[in-house]
Amino acid sequence: MNQRSHKVSTIPLFCFLFLSRLVFCQLDYRFYDSTCPSLTNIVKLGVWPAISNETRMAASLLRLHFHDCIVNGCDGSLLLDDSSAFKGEKNASPNRNSVRGFEVIDTIKANVEKACPSTVSCADILALAAREAVSLTGGPFWSVPLGRRDSLTASESAANTQIPFPFEPLDNITAKFTSKGLEMKDVVVLSGAHTIGFAQCFTFKPRLFNFDGSGNPDPILDSSMLSSLRNVCPNQVDSDSNLAPLDAVTANKFDNFYFKNIANNSGLLQSDQALMRDNRTAAMVNYYIKFPFLFLKDFEVSMEKLSKVGVLTGKDGQIRKNCRVVN
């Protein structure tokens, strides 16, 4: 099968044609209305039991979408296993033994293929699964523009350089966002996704014992939280993979407590607490504390912006039959 072939019937009506060649193609909210009308329900029926079985999975699916999009665009590249042609993104430093939820996406993809063979991309399934994960944990439900196609390759090196790290300065993280067409506001809003989920101890342990090489804890960190986290993450290597909630107050509910936490010096990650050390981002944090509804609305907007980063459309890429391998 030609890897760049695509069913003409799935091309949205407002793609632009020039000299009979497809040169630019937008995403479309109704992209699969005629070719896979059951898609949304199939994704929901795949996400719901996964979260019911393990509430942490909601955050994992959301993170999976973000880590895919921030590396060379929302193209499903993170889902690819290593091959003889490339080293994939799963084993990059920010992802190794960390990103999860691949089996959930595999199951959804298999069910989509049964209903609509060779029609729906893995990248679109990721975008829809992230939306369902947020909605099912009490967050907003937004319209997802569809029509992404899947990449033919992945890049471990790109994942190592493009994904923000929890130890990075805010300016570095913001630069990684703006390089994708996002803004500082999106940094704050999308960081709010840390209202659900957990982090491994190694991602914040230096704040507990040796902040900035001082041999002391982060002086900003709330003392009661410091004591609690030291119980979960003792200063020894075998605690590195232990888990702590990103939002200890409402760990499984999508709300604005993340912002309240960092305003109280109880942000788990260094990159979270850094939002209060910049006047611009601190003002946004306080805004979302005061207006939780507006955080949810802005989260919808930022997620849609994120989901459009670097997409492949039209005849670019392919529709993978198995999200882990190129056709």
Side-chain angles (χ1 to χ4, degrees):
M1 175 181 175
N2 186 337
Q3 291 181 346
R4 299 176 65 86
S5 66
H6 188 46
K7 293 183 180 180
V8 175
S9 60
T10 65
I11 297 175
L13 296 178
F14 50 94
C15 291
F16 295 91
L17 298 175
F18 180 71
L19 297 178
S20 299
R21 292 184 61 197
L22 184 67
V23 295
F24 181 69
C25 191
Q26 297 279 355
L27 300 179
D28 187 343
Y29 296 105
R30 305 183 65 179
F31 191 86
Y32 298 110
D33 277 11
S34 61
T35 56
C36 195
S38 58
L39 174 61
T40 299
N41 284 335
I42 295 173
V43 173
K44 179 179 289 188
L45 290 173
V47 172
W48 182 81
I51 295 176
S52 296
N53 184 58
E54 182 191 7
T55 52
R56 181 185 167 209
M57 186 56 67
S60 297
L61 292 172
L62 177 56
R63 184 166 179 254
L64 203 60
H65 179 48
F66 174 77
H67 278 220
D68 179 48
C69 290
I70 209 72
V71 180
N72 297 334
C74 308
D75 58 4
S77 58
L78 176 55
L79 303 175
L80 287 169
D81 290 337
D82 290 354
S83 75
S84 58
F86 58 80
K87 292 186 69 176
E89 297 163 24
K90 291 180 178 178
N91 289 311
S93 295
N95 295 331
R96 186 172 56 251
N97 299 321
S98 177
V99 290
R100 55 200 296 275
F102 297 108
E103 294 80 8
V104 177
I105 300 301
D106 288 341
T107 299
I108 295 171
K109 176 61 173 175
N111 290 331
V112 170
E113 283 296 305
K114 291 177 184 177
C116 322
S118 302
T119 301
V120 181
S121 68
C122 299
D124 276 345
I125 289 173
L126 264 185
L128 288 169
R131 190 266 307 275
E132 296 299 334
V134 170
S135 176
L136 289 168
T137 50
F141 183 92
W142 62 94
S143 297
V144 178
L146 300 167
R148 298 165 193 79
R149 286 167 65 83
D150 298 321
S151 67
L152 304 176
T153 188
S155 173
E156 181 182 59
S157 60
N160 279 326
T161 57
Q162 295 177 20
I163 296 174
F165 282 83
F167 308 114
E168 283 189 284
L170 179 59
D171 285 346
N172 289 24
I173 293 173
T174 301
K176 290 183 176 183
F177 273 67
T178 56
S179 72
K180 306 298 179 180
L182 302 171
E183 304 171 9
M184 177 173 277
K185 179 179 180 180
D186 299 308
V187 175
V188 178
V189 173
L190 294 175
S191 293
H194 287 172
T195 184
I196 56 174
F198 291 74
Q200 296 185 62
C201 288
F202 80 89
T203 62
F204 58 86
K205 195 186 289 186
R207 298 189 69 204
L208 310 182
F209 302 101
N210 189 27
F211 182 67
D212 283 349
S214 66
N216 296 305
D218 185 346
I220 297 293
L221 186 61
D222 175 77
S223 59
S224 61
M225 184 174 184
L226 172 63
S227 177
S228 175
L229 289 175
R230 281 181 162 179
N231 288 330
V232 176
C233 307
N235 194 17
Q236 52 201 48
V237 175
D238 63 5
S239 73
D240 280 358
S241 61
N242 292 354
L243 297 172
L246 288 158
D247 169 8
V249 181
T250 56
N252 299 314
K253 182 180 179 183
F254 199 97
D255 54 26
N256 73 330
F257 263 92
Y258 164 83
F259 299 108
K260 295 179 181 181
N261 293 337
I262 60 177
N264 292 326
N265 296 321
S266 298
L268 183 66
L269 304 180
Q270 187 173 328
S271 55
D272 291 333
Q273 198 58 54
L275 296 179
M276 292 304 295
R277 297 175 182 171
D278 184 295
N279 289 337
R280 297 166 296 175
T281 53
M284 295 182 214
V285 169
N286 288 321
Y287 178 77
Y288 291 131
I289 292 172
K290 187 175 182 180
F291 302 108
F293 174 76
L294 294 180
F295 161 57
L296 299 181
K297 295 301 292 182
D298 285 349
F299 189 81
E300 295 179 27
V301 174
S302 290
M303 282 300 296
E304 181 169 338
K305 287 175 65 177
L306 172 70
S307 75
K308 294 178 179 178
V309 170
V311 296
L312 302 173
T313 58
K315 294 184 178 179
D316 291 332
Q318 65 177 199
I319 304 298
R320 286 189 221 133
K321 295 180 179 180
N322 179 337
C323 292
R324 294 175 180 263
V325 296
V326 174
N327 293 345

